[in-house]
Amino acid sequence: MRRLTVTREKKMNGAGVPFYVCIDGKAIGKVENGETEVFNIDSNQHNISVYADMLDGRHTSYAYTLRSGNNDCRYRIYRKIRLIAKDDMYLEEV
């Protein structure tokens, strides 16, 4: 097993909405505003993404590839506020 650590930056916009972490399209847990969560995952290659159900609908990040192996992974969730766009969520490996 390896650990996947996901940190969500603290922002006022969407502060009360949980962001859900997905592995291969399936939600494995949530990250609250300004929080860090750790998830146990296997060593296979996976796709990671996040989504949040906002007042204007579901906002979803692109899917990013977690390489196979035993190394722990650390990601940061951040948002870029854009008008009329729902692709404003991003993951960055740290």
Side-chain angles (χ1 to χ4, degrees):
M1 283 290 183
R2 61 181 166 163
R3 294 168 28 140
L4 169 64
T5 303
V6 181
T7 300
R8 176 179 167 189
E9 66 180 359
K10 188 169 185 152
K11 292 280 188 174
M12 289 299 293
N13 188 328
V17 178
F19 286 14
Y20 292 90
V21 177
C22 299
I23 296 292
D24 298 329
K26 181 180 176 188
I28 62 167
K30 64 183 177 179
V31 182
E32 300 291 342
N33 192 32
E35 299 291 326
T36 297
E37 296 293 335
V38 178
F39 306 97
N40 291 318
I41 59 172
D42 62 38
S43 61
N44 297 330
Q45 179 174 306
H46 295 286
N47 289 321
I48 180 175
S49 61
V50 293
Y51 75 87
D53 291 321
M54 304 287 194
L55 291 176
D56 62 345
R58 180 164 285 181
H59 291 237
T60 306
S61 75
Y62 294 107
Y64 299 87
T65 301
L66 291 174
R67 294 175 297 279
S68 61
N70 292 319
N71 294 335
D72 292 342
C73 305
R74 297 181 61 84
Y75 280 83
R76 169 180 86 96
I77 303 170
Y78 68 96
R79 294 184 64 207
K80 292 183 181 177
I81 305 304
R82 298 171 24 198
L83 296 176
I84 63 170
K86 293 185 181 180
D87 61 345
D88 60 351
M89 299 178 75
Y90 299 91
L91 284 166
E92 176 182 56
E93 190 170 11
V94 291

